[in-house]
Amino acid sequence: MPTASPSPQAGQPSPAAAGLLVILGASGDLTKRLLMPALYNLACEGLLPDAFAVVGMALTEQTTAEFRASQRLDIARFTTRKALDENRWRWLESRLHYLPGNFSDPAAYDRLMKLVLEVGQETGAAGNTLIYLAISPDFFVEVNRRLDAAGFTRMPGHKKIIVEKPFGKDLDSAIGLNRDLLAHWREDEIYRIDHYLGKETVQNLLAFRLANPLFAPLWNASHIDHIQISSLETVGVETRGGYYDRTGVVRDMVQNHLLQMLAYVCMEPPTSLDPAAIRDGKSRLLESVRLLDPPAVARDCVRGQYAAGSKPDGSPAVAYRQERDVDPVSNTETFAAIRLQIDNARWAGVPIYLRSGKSLWKRGTEIVVQFRPPASGSAAVEPNLLIFHIQPYQAVEIRMHAKRPGPAFRLQPAGMRFDYAETFEAARGTGYEVLLYAALNNDPTLFSRTDFVETAWRIVQPMLDAWRATPANDFPNYAAGTWGPAAANSLLARDGRRWHENLTRDVLARSEFLATAPAVMLNNLLLAFRPLAVDPGDTIVRAGDRGGEMYFVCRGELEALGRAGERVGRIGEGEFFGEMAVLFDQPRSATVRAVCHCDLLALDAADFHRIANDFAQMQAEFQRIAASRQSHPTAAGEEPS
Ligand code: BG6
């Protein structure tokens, strides 16, 4: 017998409406890794109703008892909570039912209908049926036809179909898929999932804009210079080479997750929180994104594919073309950087830069809103930034300037942060909790409508067409574990801008000296460092030039060349170079050239002197380095003059 439902905690929302979740593809990865842990989290919070049950169907031959036993083993592995609460799991487990069935067999759907009616009757969950397609999109058309034939589309009460991404593989297939779905279901019964909308920090984008009128007057082209949306991953394609090679980053991340975030950041404030008002606003925004023609794709879109390199722990990473199930001459992009324009009054002339890729130097999704510099006077002052840290670090941050303590009036970059971990107690979830809870409650706000997905495809289609027609002649063009292809930096440099990388302390910890530096000094450096990616053969400093910056090597190797071009030293990861010219205001005494793709952090002379003045350790360390380079001039790129 099912045990009693845990009651919601004080101040919590109430349990969702009664309902029955039918999962097609219930023995697969999605169910065990995300759906079941999310249901379990909802159960732990008392957010599932007593009248709730799951009916799973998949090819695997197993009984309900065996299905429950396997889900019990899996939840122990995949729960996002520290320990499994036996009572709460039992509550959920007692509501799980299973039926083996082949998706092409009409009789399987009749058996499924019979079980759904029985379980619905028994648990009181009838009248609100959610059918979750946790299956490959290749089966969507057939499965919908058969669900219809078996009567699922004509069930009494609320019924809906939940569809996972990828939603189509291009504009035509998405239109076709919508047509097939709409032949059997009404638009308000189709719930298209984008798991980014399940992320608290993504939902907070809209909350932040609507609940803080402070920012509303600034949210337009008069005050905002440009916006950057980056979703960077350190992982490669792992076990999904076959899927990924047909897909690429534009279909996998940009068409859905990045454009969803763009819509939240740039849409007109909705007139109400009504689902239709929010979804209308998002669609309208995407409709005003200027479509790229072939010359614009060539000019404003950069593609990349990773070569062999290293993983974050320093171990070797293979090239994309060597990954399992990937074509050894594949033209699939694993990185993209795109410049978009929005043609409406609010955003006229404000470029939106999107960027996403696999096998990069760090994992992080961030949205950076860069404000315009002050109209006159302090042109040298860095612009204000508003940064939404979406994941893994979850925060909202304002980069501003503050007066340095002391009698003189001098400014220094500073940050103001709201940090989720320091503000909320909420347990970490999978992101699917909020989506399942909303679907049970018949709330479509977080799900994509036909017009949104089709417009999103319309935006990326010119890129897909141009890149299919012209294979990249420079692939692979970035080493695994770096900041991506240098062309992504040129895309912004051409506009006089640069990507704002969210530097974290672990990057700096590669230097022995910085690993033990005090936190305040590191914070100063993190705010002052400017990331720089260079290609093999690029010259970073030239002998004889005056030195305005010094550099820290995050990744890669460089060589120091004497005046006759002879190699006088090498500079590796965690080392500095160029500091002598800055320290003593003297011309560079050696040329430094990249041997491979390198990721550097540049520090302006003014910031260097400021930080060195404030922190005796930095002074002492650089004097020590200088002294050692004076006695061993070939060590790291600069000889004394
Ligand atoms: C999925 C993509 O939609 O999103 C994956 O198919 C990607 O390739 C993943 O890794 C990223 O999701 P998250 O939540 O880790 O940012």
Side-chain angles (χ1 to χ4, degrees):
M1 268 303 283
T3 49
S5 161
S7 44
Q9 290 154 19
Q12 280 278 82
S14 41
L20 194 76
L21 176 64
V22 178
I23 308 179
L24 301 185
S27 58
D29 251 23
L30 185 75
T31 306
K32 67 181 182 205
R33 284 177 188 271
L34 293 165
L35 299 184
M36 215 46 86
L39 290 173
Y40 170 67
N41 284 342
L42 286 172
C44 289
E45 303 290 334
L47 293 178
L48 286 181
D50 233 352
F52 172 78
V54 175
V55 174
M57 184 167 102
L59 256 186
T60 314
E61 282 293 339
Q62 58 181 342
T63 62
T64 286
E66 285 164 340
F67 179 64
R68 289 178 181 178
S70 72
Q71 293 300 320
R72 171 179 283 264
L73 289 179
D74 290 333
I75 194 73
R77 261 181 83 197
F78 296 116
T79 178
T80 57
R81 302 193 165 228
K82 286 199 186 84
L84 195 69
D85 179 327
E86 192 52 39
N87 274 334
R88 301 204 168 193
W89 172 252
R90 268 212 311 269
W91 181 92
L92 180 60
E93 192 190 79
S94 66
R95 286 166 166 75
L96 305 182
H97 304 265
Y98 184 83
L99 180 77
N102 184 327
F103 294 124
S104 339
D105 173 13
Y109 294 83
D110 295 336
R111 287 199 303 275
L112 180 65
M113 176 58 101
K114 187 161 168 285
L115 183 59
V116 163
L117 292 176
E118 269 168 31
V119 173
Q121 190 74 37
E122 195 181 297
T123 55
N128 187 11
T129 314
L130 286 65
I131 303 178
Y132 204 120
L133 299 188
I135 53 175
S136 155
D138 298 344
F139 297 113
F140 284 0
V141 174
E142 176 174 6
V143 166
N144 275 297
R145 200 159 33 84
R146 297 204 185 281
L147 284 170
D148 190 16
F152 282 93
T153 52
R154 292 177 298 285
M155 289 178 85
H158 293 289
K159 56 200 177 296
K160 39 198 109 65
I161 184 106
I162 306 185
V163 188
E164 271 287 336
K165 78 169 263 270
F167 195 85
K169 57 180 181 10
D170 55 16
L171 177 59
D172 287 346
S173 59
I175 292 175
L177 190 50
N178 277 328
R179 207 177 31 229
D180 288 328
L181 284 170
L182 287 163
H184 305 298
W185 305 90
R186 291 195 319 256
E187 176 67 46
D188 65 351
E189 294 171 338
I190 306 170
Y191 282 50
R192 299 173 189 81
I193 283 207
D194 182 312
H195 81 277
Y196 262 56
L197 295 193
K199 294 183 192 289
E200 288 296 343
T201 41
V202 173
Q203 291 169 46
N204 188 50
L205 293 171
L206 199 54
F208 179 89
R209 289 188 54 198
L210 298 182
N212 301 296
L214 166 66
F215 294 96
L218 305 177
W219 220 248
N220 54 53
S222 308
H223 299 282
I224 292 178
D225 176 76
H226 75 276
I227 297 174
Q228 305 181 3
I229 303 180
S230 301
S231 196
L232 315 179
E233 298 188 90
T234 46
V235 289
V237 293
E238 302 188 297
T239 53
R240 300 160 74 222
Y243 155 79
Y244 200 88
D245 211 31
R246 295 189 302 274
T247 307
V249 75
V250 170
R251 291 184 173 94
D252 192 46
M253 295 290 291
V254 179
Q255 185 273 341
N256 34 69
H257 310 324
L258 271 74
L259 291 181
Q260 288 282 2
M261 291 189 280
L262 168 69
Y264 270 164
V265 174
C266 295
M267 68 192 275
E268 292 301 306
T271 45
S272 76
L273 289 184
D274 184 65
I278 294 180
R279 300 205 297 171
D280 285 349
K282 287 171 62 187
S283 292
R284 219 169 291 133
L285 185 278
L286 283 202
E287 279 154 21
S288 31
V289 170
R290 188 182 305 166
L291 295 182
L292 301 160
D293 57 14
V297 172
R299 191 184 59 233
D300 294 339
C301 305
V302 169
R303 55 182 155 166
Q305 187 192 74
Y306 59 86
S310 51
K311 297 186 181 164
D313 64 2
S315 62
V318 295
Y320 175 69
R321 289 176 176 178
Q322 261 73 61
E323 298 275 17
R324 200 172 59 188
D325 300 328
V326 168
D327 178 353
V329 292
S330 174
N331 189 47
T332 300
E333 81 289 349
T334 60
F335 176 98
I338 302 152
R339 181 188 195 275
L340 293 177
Q341 292 282 348
I342 298 174
D343 285 326
N344 67 16
R346 184 184 290 274
W347 298 114
V350 177
I352 314 286
Y353 301 99
L354 307 181
R355 177 175 60 151
S356 184
K358 298 253 184 223
S359 276
L360 295 168
W361 69 291
K362 71 146 212 187
R363 170 169 181 244
T365 299
E366 277 123 33
I367 299 171
V368 180
V369 178
Q370 178 170 322
F371 290 87
R372 292 194 183 281
S376 62
S378 33
V381 168
E382 282 284 307
N384 288 130
L385 305 178
L386 172 61
I387 307 177
F388 297 95
H389 298 272
I390 305 290
Q391 67 177 23
Y393 176 55
Q394 303 185 315
V396 181
E397 178 187 2
I398 299 179
R399 294 272 173 89
M400 44 190 259
H401 306 277
K403 182 190 165 294
R404 284 165 59 73
F409 190 86
R410 283 182 305 155
L411 297 176
Q412 184 179 320
M416 219 161 77
R417 279 167 191 252
F418 139 62
D419 195 316
Y420 275 69
E422 287 169 8
T423 313
F424 302 116
E425 274 296 350
R428 227 167 226 280
T430 61
Y432 276 72
E433 292 78 2
V434 64
L435 299 170
L436 291 169
Y437 181 79
L440 276 166
N441 282 337
N442 306 307
D443 178 353
T445 316
L446 297 175
F447 299 86
S448 306
R449 239 172 25 192
T450 294
D451 51 347
F452 187 93
V453 285
E454 291 182 7
T455 311
W457 276 116
R458 218 161 268 127
I459 294 170
V460 300
Q461 192 63 46
M463 236 172 306
L464 299 175
D465 291 343
W467 290 353
R468 195 189 44 236
T470 327
N473 55 16
D474 63 343
F475 275 6
N477 58 358
Y478 70 97
T482 65
W483 287 332
N489 295 337
S490 317
L491 180 72
L492 270 74
R494 200 183 66 200
D495 296 346
R497 302 187 172 102
R498 65 181 173 87
W499 294 104
H500 295 288
E501 308 291 359
N502 174 37
L503 297 173
T504 44
R505 288 191 192 167
D506 51 310
V507 173
L508 301 191
R510 291 184 190 144
S511 143
E512 233 173 86
F513 154 57
L514 293 178
T516 55
V520 185
M521 178 178 138
L522 284 184
N523 279 343
N524 270 266
L525 284 171
L526 288 173
L527 288 176
F529 270 137
R530 180 172 56 82
L532 187 71
V534 293
D535 285 333
D538 280 358
T539 295
I540 297 91
V541 303
R542 202 177 295 280
D545 286 356
R546 297 218 71 86
E549 311 181 300
M550 57 156 293
Y551 303 85
F552 171 69
V553 185
C554 287
R555 260 175 210 273
E557 183 179 334
L558 303 101
E559 56 187 354
L561 307 172
R563 298 209 184 252
E566 76 286 10
R567 186 172 176 154
V568 293
R570 69 164 286 283
I571 309 161
E573 224 159 83
E575 289 188 273
F576 294 93
F577 68 91
E579 76 290 340
M580 297 274 284
V582 170
L583 203 52
F584 302 115
D585 191 24
Q586 68 187 20
R588 307 272 190 204
S589 51
T591 293
V592 176
R593 194 165 66 186
V595 172
C596 55
H597 290 281
C598 297
D599 292 328
L600 309 176
L601 294 173
L603 187 63
D604 277 351
D607 287 321
F608 174 82
H609 287 302
R610 168 173 62 77
I611 299 171
N613 277 337
D614 286 354
F615 298 93
Q617 306 87 312
M618 180 132 154
Q619 240 344 314
E621 176 66 8
F622 280 91
Q623 264 153 12
R624 190 192 61 73
I625 296 176
S628 96
R629 288 191 182 162
Q630 250 148 5
S631 46
H632 306 282
T634 59
E638 266 181 310
E639 299 164 286
S641 49

